[in-house]
Amino acid sequence: MRQKPTILDRRIVATSRLFCVEELKLRFSNGVERTYERLASKGAGYGAVMIVAMLDADHAVLVEEYCGGTDAYELSLPKGLIEPGEDVLAAAERELKEEAGFGARQLEHLTELSLSPGYMSQKIQVVLATDLYEERLEGDEPEPMRVDKVNLHELSALAQNPQFTEGRALAALYLARDLLAQRGVFLS
């Protein structure tokens, strides 16, 4: 296992309402020194959750919401922050109800994904939700989200959709598809 670099100095160089930019001065094991910047969440950082919610054996729920980063309405999986004192599965259940109007009788943690580990510390927990039922909770979204679906056998086509650009969501869908295929769950 490689030796991690030594942190020579660490400081916050910029802050906003949501993020801190942290500068790290590092020395690698070969003596080379570099300065890195990384985006870190402000506050306690309880994490986030993304849900692959299966409507049936082949179709997963997608939601459409406005995304400030791309200045566009994007399709993705339901997701959100884990609240203080909330575990991953409870957060998944709440976010699914708030964003898509479904609860799930079965929830299973699949994995943890990062977005861009070279400069972001945030990670997201991926949860598989099955045996759905209709139930809506009021969330913090500024407008109702449109609910759509995707056939897990058509993920290559989804990846070509200009309204679906989130790599983590695509990875989560492929992971869920492969797991469900291993379990022999698919209808077609």
Side-chain angles (χ1 to χ4, degrees):
M1 185 148 160
R2 296 180 74 172
Q3 180 182 342
K4 288 183 4 179
T6 302
I7 298 173
L8 303 174
D9 189 32
R10 169 188 284 173
R11 65 187 181 104
I12 302 298
V13 294
T15 61
S16 75
R17 183 176 57 86
L18 296 176
F19 302 105
C20 293
V21 178
E22 184 178 43
E23 180 181 87
L24 298 172
K25 293 190 180 188
L26 304 172
R27 180 180 300 124
F28 289 82
S29 61
N30 62 359
V32 173
E33 292 185 10
R34 291 283 191 275
T35 299
Y36 281 56
E37 288 183 349
R38 67 180 180 186
L39 190 61
S41 295
K42 286 181 82 172
Y46 298 102
V49 63
M50 174 179 280
I51 307 100
V52 179
M54 298 302 298
L55 289 166
D56 58 37
D58 295 311
H59 296 89
V61 172
L62 296 177
V63 293
E64 180 189 61
E65 70 177 315
Y66 176 78
C67 296
T70 58
D71 187 29
Y73 282 90
E74 300 256 351
L75 287 169
S76 190
L77 295 171
K79 61 186 166 302
L81 296 176
I82 299 171
E83 300 291 332
E86 192 175 44
D87 73 18
V88 169
L89 298 181
E93 175 85 357
R94 178 183 50 74
E95 287 292 342
L96 184 58
K97 289 177 181 179
E98 290 176 0
E99 294 194 355
F102 290 103
R105 290 181 187 90
Q106 297 290 329
L107 295 161
E108 177 182 355
H109 182 260
L110 296 184
T111 194
E112 177 180 81
L113 296 173
S114 63
L115 179 61
S116 187
Y119 67 93
M120 295 178 78
S121 61
Q122 294 89 351
K123 295 186 178 182
I124 198 162
Q125 306 303 315
V126 178
V127 172
L128 177 64
T130 56
D131 197 8
L132 303 184
Y133 58 91
E134 289 187 28
E135 183 175 337
R136 180 164 298 282
L137 288 177
E138 187 171 333
D140 58 359
E141 291 75 23
E143 62 185 359
M145 294 178 142
R146 183 175 68 83
V147 177
D148 204 341
K149 65 182 178 179
V150 62
N151 186 320
L152 294 187
H153 299 290
E154 299 172 358
L155 295 181
S156 293
L158 179 65
Q160 300 305 311
N161 183 334
Q163 199 180 0
F164 184 89
T165 65
E166 186 173 8
R168 296 178 305 177
L170 188 60
L173 287 165
Y174 272 108
L175 288 168
R177 184 190 71 181
D178 288 355
L179 177 67
L180 293 170
Q182 287 173 3
R183 293 178 179 171
V185 172
F186 288 130
L187 293 173
S188 48

